[in-house]
Amino acid sequence: MPNRTLVIAIDGPAASGKSTTARLVAERLGYTYIDTGAMYRAVTLAVLRNGIDPADDSAVSALARNLQISFLRDPDSGALHTLLNGEDVWQQIRTPEVTRNVSLVSSYAGVRTPVVELQQRMGEQGGVVMDGRDIGTMVFPNADLKIFMVANLDARAARRHVELQHQGAEIELDNLATELAERDRQDSTRHHSPLRKADDAIEIDTSGLTIQQQVERVLELVKERSGEEEPVSLPG
Ligand code: DC
């Protein structure tokens, strides 16, 4: 495996398989997995808890500037939990209410600027797999490997459905597909750092792939990239 620590960016629309793949790839490489969507979700949770209107750009941005977002590794599972002002909000950031409002909250420059700075600090030493919407385009435009993960809407809705069922939530498949499509529309049409494939990103369509296949495909690309960096040994 690689002999230097890379920055690996995985972007793509909601439920395309980014976070599961990113987490498992990081595990296999001994890297840190950074879920950047969780940061925008934590800001959204704070907005809702403070009774701020998510449509009020200046109030949301003022709040975002004063929030402390950090991560803590769960010693049992190894998963990174998101902390909001020191409180573990791992579960609270996954509620339907946060999901419904996160695209709007994350569309403001006043929210993105401090969050992107934090992501850049977290990744500056390398050895990270970061998933999100703008990692390869804005956060790490010089990332060593950029993946753009896509999957058709039916496959994504079906996956999210299974995920939610495991969490005990019953949401109609059709409603999930509509919600995902709406979030994609908002994330890719916003003014600041919209979701888009970086010119040098490699697209992986996960519609017909198993998680294992997705992980192996990314690991192959990591291997190729690390190989490119190896010094050429000269004869004699
Ligand atoms: O990955 P996720 O579904 O948890 O992300 C939640 C939202 O956060 C997503 O709809 C858009 C926003 N987001 C973003 O704007 N930029 C990122 N790098 C990651 C997420």
Side-chain angles (χ1 to χ4, degrees):
M1 270 298 149
N3 52 7
R4 67 184 191 97
T5 55
L6 312 181
V7 171
I8 302 171
I10 305 187
D11 290 304
S16 56
K18 303 183 301 292
S19 56
T20 312
T21 308
R23 186 171 49 75
L24 293 171
V25 166
E27 225 173 81
R28 291 274 291 271
L29 297 172
Y31 281 17
T32 302
Y33 162 52
I34 300 170
D35 173 359
T36 64
M39 299 180 181
Y40 294 102
R41 287 174 178 272
V43 177
T44 307
L45 178 66
V47 166
L48 297 172
R49 279 182 171 178
N50 283 278
I52 293 171
D53 179 359
D56 185 344
D57 180 347
S58 52
V60 170
S61 298
L63 177 77
R65 272 195 297 279
N66 293 306
L67 291 178
Q68 278 261 351
I69 296 172
S70 52
F71 289 94
L72 184 72
R73 194 177 296 278
D74 182 313
D76 297 326
S77 67
L80 278 192
H81 284 207
T82 311
L83 307 187
L84 173 62
N85 295 331
E87 176 196 347
D88 188 340
V89 290
W90 190 61
Q91 278 174 318
Q92 291 92 324
I93 60 172
R94 305 275 155 206
T95 63
E97 201 191 3
V98 168
T99 302
R100 264 197 310 277
N101 288 286
V102 66
S103 285
L104 181 58
V105 168
S106 65
S107 68
Y108 305 132
V111 170
R112 304 201 71 81
T113 302
V115 172
V116 166
E117 278 171 14
L118 175 61
Q119 291 161 3
Q120 288 171 333
R121 281 202 301 278
M122 291 178 80
E124 68 193 356
Q125 306 291 333
V128 293
V129 184
M130 214 176 257
D131 85 335
R133 304 293 189 286
D134 61 340
I135 310 304
T137 51
M138 284 300 294
V139 182
F140 285 106
N142 298 320
D144 300 284
L145 174 63
K146 299 181 189 178
I147 307 285
F148 196 74
M149 223 163 229
V150 297
N152 63 48
L153 189 59
D154 286 349
R156 293 191 287 132
R159 282 181 200 158
R160 198 36 68 84
H161 195 236
V162 172
E163 229 172 78
L164 288 168
Q165 274 179 331
H166 281 146
Q167 293 165 18
E170 241 340 306
I171 300 185
E172 297 252 341
L173 202 57
D174 284 356
N175 292 349
L176 271 177
T178 310
E179 215 178 79
L180 284 175
E182 174 52 20
R183 204 137 66 86
D184 290 349
R185 190 194 61 74
Q186 287 192 49
D187 294 344
S188 46
T189 56
R190 69 181 177 218
H191 181 68
H192 302 288
S193 319
L195 165 69
R196 73 170 181 83
K197 177 175 173 284
D199 295 336
D200 52 350
I202 296 166
E203 186 167 308
I204 301 180
D205 186 337
T206 66
S207 309
L209 300 184
T210 64
I211 291 170
Q212 191 56 32
Q213 288 170 326
Q214 290 163 209
V215 171
E216 290 306 328
R217 178 79 189 105
V218 176
L219 287 172
E220 270 167 31
L221 293 167
V222 171
K223 209 167 167 186
E224 281 171 23
R225 281 302 145 98
S226 336
E228 279 171 21
E229 301 297 330
E230 269 165 14
V232 182
S233 53
L234 297 171

